[in-house]
Amino acid sequence: DHGRRGAKTFTRYYDTRTGDYISDEVGRCDHEVRCRYHLTPSEYFERYPMLKEGHKGSVAARPAPLVMPEPEPVSYPSIPFDVFRKTLKDHHKNNIYLFLRRHFTREVADKVAARYYLGTSKYLPGAPVFWYIDSGFGITTGKIIYYPDPLTGKRFRGADKYHGKPVVNFVHAVLKIPGFKRKPCFFGEHLLTAEPAKPVMVVESEKTALIASAFYPGLVVLATGGMNGLQNLNWSLTRGREVTLVPDTSTGDIATKNWTEQAKLINTRHNLSIKISDRLDSIATEKQKNEGWDLGDFLLRQKAEG
């Protein structure tokens, strides 16, 4: 209710040439000290380079209510099924699958890979494709991330590109599909349809979702794909279920504070009762927080320690 005294506002960036906002999620919360939400246009276009073409003017900022109106229905394209199907093999070349095999039995690793349709990309050696499949089983896109070492399961760090290619990219960008508009979607969203009776856990990264699902097969584990942008996801799909958000640890518990603020808005907007878990923050050391340990890190460490 942004009409109340002391209500939070969201300063959004807009294209000065067209007057259009860059995106509902690109901007800064006026409670930045507490929730630290701030997504700049450059960060947004680095994440979604395929959307930059439509914004050729300079950018400026102006306030807008943080509680956004319900989006109008939009028709979104899907990735061609044949492209998707061809990635569902060669797991022996997939560094995330090999990482799962290092920590779990083949049966568990195969079940997780099948449940989430884990793909293998030829874009970079060993790179998985995390397919974003919506509740109607439409293939909204695939996220390709370069994991160079199946032993550590850590993302490639230190540069934005490897051999001239971005180390994080999307299938629709690699295919250069003209005019493609990505549908907002949870990673694992199709499981809400396939497994309608299970409680829901929401984490940040796709890899964390895979690991957590191996430990908690009785849950549907979804990933947001990042700390920000939760407002754009279709949370109404979780209505009637117990939903718990498990943010990564972070310096100053910024991630938990960010998700707590966003959860309040989501609960109000969709009439839900999503809960936030701060358990990781309570057990993490300062070093672990600085390193951004997530649920998967703690689960695997606990498993290794017996």
Side-chain angles (χ1 to χ4, degrees), residues 153-211:
K154 299 295 184 183
R155 289 170 54 169
F156 183 77
R157 302 292 186 183
D160 294 332
K161 294 186 177 182
Y162 179 79
H163 288 185
K165 295 181 178 180
V167 295
V168 178
N169 211 336
F170 291 90
V171 170
H172 61 276
V174 174
L175 295 178
K176 299 180 180 178
I177 300 176
F180 190 95
K181 183 176 178 62
R182 180 189 174 193
K183 178 182 180 180
C185 179
F186 292 98
F187 174 69
E189 184 174 301
H190 63 283
L191 295 175
L192 294 173
T193 300
E195 303 171 8
K198 293 181 178 180
V200 175
M201 174 188 290
V202 182
V203 297
E204 180 175 330
S205 82
E206 300 86 357
K207 187 187 84 172
T208 303
L210 298 184
I211 295 169

Side-chain angles (χ1 to χ4, degrees), residues 82-239:
D82 194 51
V83 172
F84 160 76
R85 181 183 58 80
K86 288 179 179 179
T87 70
L88 304 180
K89 58 182 181 179
D90 294 334
H91 281 153
H92 64 286
K93 299 178 182 179
N94 187 317
N95 285 346
I96 286 300
Y97 174 80
L98 295 175
F99 177 76
L100 292 174
R101 280 288 290 116
R102 180 172 178 241
H103 293 280
F104 304 102
T105 65
R106 179 179 295 277
E107 179 183 6
V108 170
D110 286 348
K111 185 173 182 179
V112 169
R115 195 174 174 214
Y116 286 87
Y117 298 101
L118 179 64
T120 303
S121 175
K122 296 180 180 178
Y123 173 75
L124 285 171
V129 184
F130 299 110
W131 289 107
Y132 277 69
I133 303 171
D134 68 19
S135 60
F137 287 85
I139 308 166
T140 68
T141 193
K143 188 175 182 180
I144 306 169
I145 303 178
Y146 182 41
Y147 290 88
D149 189 347
L151 295 180
T152 64
K154 299 295 184 183
R155 289 170 54 169
F156 183 77
R157 302 292 186 183
D160 294 332
K161 294 186 177 182
Y162 179 79
H163 288 185
K165 295 181 178 180
V167 295
V168 178
N169 211 336
F170 291 90
V171 170
H172 61 276
V174 174
L175 295 178
K176 299 180 180 178
I177 300 176
F180 190 95
K181 183 176 178 62
R182 180 189 174 193
K183 178 182 180 180
C185 179
F186 292 98
F187 174 69
E189 184 174 301
H190 63 283
L191 295 175
L192 294 173
T193 300
E195 303 171 8
K198 293 181 178 180
V200 175
M201 174 188 290
V202 182
V203 297
E204 180 175 330
S205 82
E206 300 86 357
K207 187 187 84 172
T208 303
L210 298 184
I211 295 169
S213 71
F215 282 94
Y216 304 115
L219 301 178
V220 167
V221 184
L222 307 176
T224 61
M227 185 175 70
N228 299 314
L230 273 65
Q231 299 295 318
N232 294 330
L233 298 169
N234 189 358
W235 291 94
S236 63
L237 295 171
T238 68
R239 185 169 288 117

Side-chain angles (χ1 to χ4, degrees), residues 252-272:
D253 301 340
I254 290 173
T256 298
K257 295 171 183 176
N258 180 308
W259 277 23
T260 299
E261 289 293 313
Q262 294 198 58
K264 291 177 182 177
L265 296 172
I266 292 165
N267 285 337
T268 299
R269 178 176 177 180
H270 296 285
N271 192 26
L272 300 175

